[in-house]
Amino acid sequence: MLAPRDAGSRTKKVRFMEMSIRSLKPTDADALWRINEEGLPGVGQVSSQALEALLEMSELSLGAVVAGQLEGFVICLLPGTSYGSPNYGWFNARYREFLYVDRIAVGQSARGLGLGSALYRRVIGHAETRSWPVAAEVSLEPPNPGSLRFHGRFSFDRVGELAHPTQRVAMLLRAAQPLA
């Protein structure tokens, strides 16, 4: 059960909600696209076909389901795939092993319920069983201070920066945490 944080001026959400996490399927592509669109500009804009292709090359792709509806997702890749993202390429050129968080997004109506944190705990758990670092990037221009704070809570460190024509991103890495 998840208890939502105080929604402030937003409409109060149901006090306690059932949330589950499951593997994503190609048939989820349209729902992923909807959630991704609601996350703009914090996530890159892509088509549902591109999301389906990402699922096919992913190492880990999970969805958060609330009240029977997919409301959040994370898609992660390993090094060496054919993915053409320059951000992914930056990590590929510098690290031999990593689990790359290509995107994480939560639908607007489910924000503040802890779905992003629940998904990241699963990503980190998956990486820890293999002693892999977790790689991600966060936009600096346009700024995304909420995402920087979020990644800081999960012990990500800034390991570089990459400039694009209309964007600048901080490259983040959570060091491998081998199981004791």
Side-chain angles (χ1 to χ4, degrees):
M1 297 291 221
L2 290 174
R5 291 182 281 207
D6 184 357
S9 63
R10 292 185 291 174
T11 305
K12 292 277 184 184
K13 295 183 177 155
V14 177
R15 184 96 179 114
F16 291 95
M17 302 196 78
E18 285 284 328
M19 192 268 299
S20 61
I21 295 179
R22 65 166 175 81
S23 295
L24 294 172
K25 307 173 289 236
T27 55
D28 292 321
D30 288 339
L32 299 178
W33 180 83
R34 174 191 54 82
I35 295 164
N36 197 81
E37 286 289 302
E38 291 177 9
L40 297 175
V43 293
Q45 190 168 28
V46 293
S47 67
S48 62
Q49 294 82 9
L51 286 165
E52 192 172 338
L54 269 173
L55 289 178
E56 289 177 19
M57 60 177 105
S58 72
E59 160 68 14
L60 182 69
S61 56
L62 300 171
V65 178
V66 177
Q69 183 169 333
L70 188 63
E71 290 291 352
F73 71 91
V74 63
I75 300 174
C76 303
L77 306 171
L78 291 177
T81 71
S82 61
Y83 188 39
S85 160
N87 296 335
Y88 171 77
W90 188 94
F91 286 106
N92 241 346
R94 289 164 176 80
Y95 298 94
R96 192 171 56 82
E97 292 183 327
F98 58 85
L99 183 62
Y100 175 72
V101 178
D102 178 69
R103 63 193 58 238
I104 182 167
V106 174
Q108 202 137 14
S109 66
R111 293 193 184 143
L113 298 176
L115 275 61
S117 293
L119 289 166
Y120 250 55
R121 282 192 293 276
R122 293 284 293 271
V123 167
I124 290 167
H126 184 79
E128 285 178 349
T129 64
R130 291 148 181 88
S131 298
W132 293 334
V134 180
E137 77 277 337
V138 172
S139 182
L140 297 172
E141 289 178 23
N144 192 343
S147 185
L148 282 172
R149 282 189 305 275
F150 176 83
H151 284 86
R153 286 193 303 269
F154 284 97
S155 301
F156 279 79
D157 295 312
R158 191 166 163 172
V159 294
E161 192 173 296
L162 186 59
H164 302 284
T166 60
Q167 183 185 31
R168 191 168 51 93
V169 294
M171 310 309 276
L172 307 176
L173 195 72
R174 183 182 191 277
Q177 308 286 319
L179 294 176

